[in-house]
Amino acid sequence: MQAEDPKDIVRFEQSDGIATITLNRPERRNALSVAAAERLHDLWERVDASDDIRAVILTATPCGTFCAGMDLKEASAMRASQGLDVLSQIRDPFHERMRKVRVPIIAAMTGHFTAGGFMLSLNADLRIGLAGTSGGITEAKRGRGSPWAMPLLWQIPQPVVMEMVLTGELQSVERLQALGFVNHVEPTIEAVLARAESLAETIRDNAPLSVVVGKEAILRTMDLGCEAGLEHAKNIYRKVYDSNDAQEGPRAFAEKRAPIWTGT
């Protein structure tokens, strides 16, 4: 197989404070090759290094599947030719770096999302699904594992997580929305992208410190539990209340004008 161009298989665009990252391997159902996984890791670093990026949209070239997870053909070929497990060749096999990205990530899912595709949606902060599609933790059907799925226990009921992990069966996006995992379900790919763009623009236009600290506080509270999380969140938010933006918001409201955020 010809070497992949990382900039083509995972595309990056930035415009008006919004970064759009697009999985672009439609011939492989946007599966994650080693090169694609490494490119994603580099892009999360790039996002965090840019003060100009206020929100991220993660999407995929339409092919019926947002992301099929690990590229099983590549994994099989690597085992046969080199005796290596594909995860050993990936710097961040469970995409934990994505969970630490400073700004909100919106998953605009253009099709089905399974295994590593479900992992990407889980690691995002907001999720937009396409009507009639499904998602699942299918590793049990392939002899693989899903430690990355454990944060689901803080997002949907434990019996549902148990069912998904143990059976590997797909769940409709409509059921996942009813459970609270998916924020919105849209009838077309165009509507999925439009919804994601609208959410990203709303987030972009809000006070940047409030958004960044809001995301951090929610995730840290989930990690720590309710009481410890509340105390930690109050410390995290102190920088917001001490900021110039905390004064600009009420002032702009009183003066009946749009606020001018400085992020300080």
Side-chain angles (χ1 to χ4, degrees):
M1 180 179 177
Q2 186 177 3
E4 297 178 309
D5 179 356
K7 293 183 178 180
D8 184 55
I9 59 175
V10 182
R11 295 177 176 171
F12 179 88
E13 299 174 89
Q14 181 180 341
S15 177
D16 296 328
I18 299 170
T20 301
I21 296 174
T22 306
L23 306 177
N24 184 42
R25 303 182 76 230
E27 73 287 352
R28 291 290 182 94
R29 296 192 300 145
N30 294 317
L32 294 170
S33 62
V34 172
E38 294 298 290
R39 168 72 167 161
L40 278 173
H41 190 282
D42 290 342
L43 289 177
W44 302 134
E45 296 282 349
R46 179 173 176 177
V47 167
D48 273 345
S50 174
D51 292 334
D52 296 330
I53 297 175
R54 302 284 183 84
V56 177
I57 296 172
L58 175 65
T59 189
T61 300
C63 65
T65 304
F66 165 66
C67 178
M70 181 175 65
D71 187 332
L72 295 177
K73 290 183 179 180
E74 180 186 55
S76 179
M78 184 177 294
R79 171 64 75 178
S81 63
Q82 303 175 51
L84 298 173
D85 186 88
V86 66
L87 293 186
S88 70
Q89 303 305 297
I90 298 175
R91 175 178 16 169
D92 181 19
F94 300 122
H95 296 255
E96 294 169 80
R97 178 64 181 85
M98 180 181 174
R99 293 181 58 80
K100 297 178 174 63
V101 172
R102 177 177 55 87
V103 299
I105 301 171
I106 302 165
M109 300 179 291
T110 54
H112 302 290
F113 47 108
T114 58
F118 198 103
M119 174 179 63
L120 293 181
S121 70
L122 172 61
N123 287 350
D125 302 298
L126 300 173
R127 305 169 192 93
I128 319 300
L130 177 64
T133 63
S134 57
I137 304 168
T138 55
E139 278 79 352
K141 293 183 178 295
R142 299 288 181 265
R144 307 295 292 184
S146 52
W148 53 264
M150 295 309 103
L152 269 180
L153 287 168
W154 283 263
Q155 299 180 48
I156 62 176
Q158 182 265 349
V160 179
V161 178
M162 190 73 76
E163 176 186 354
M164 293 177 70
V165 169
L166 300 187
T167 69
E169 295 295 326
L170 301 182
Q171 309 295 317
S172 72
V173 72
E174 289 80 7
R175 185 187 188 207
L176 291 171
Q177 182 189 31
L179 289 166
F181 180 71
V182 172
N183 295 82
H184 302 277
V185 174
E186 301 293 345
T188 65
I189 290 173
E190 293 76 16
V192 167
L193 296 173
R195 172 74 75 170
E197 189 73 25
S198 176
L199 286 169
E201 289 172 354
T202 299
I203 291 168
R204 176 200 63 195
D205 294 341
N206 283 337
L209 271 178
S210 295
V211 169
V212 168
V213 170
K215 171 177 175 174
E216 181 185 359
I218 290 169
L219 293 180
R220 289 297 290 148
T221 299
M222 185 176 74
D223 291 343
L224 293 170
C226 185
E227 186 171 352
L230 175 59
E231 290 304 310
H232 194 67
K234 287 190 287 188
N235 290 329
I236 292 172
Y237 265 103
R238 187 168 291 121
K239 70 183 75 172
V240 173
Y241 289 113
D242 291 341
S243 71
N244 293 323
D245 283 353
Q247 306 308 315
E248 169 63 5
R251 184 166 52 244
F253 178 82
E255 296 173 1
K256 298 181 180 180
R257 60 174 174 82
I260 302 172
W261 306 122
T262 62
T264 60

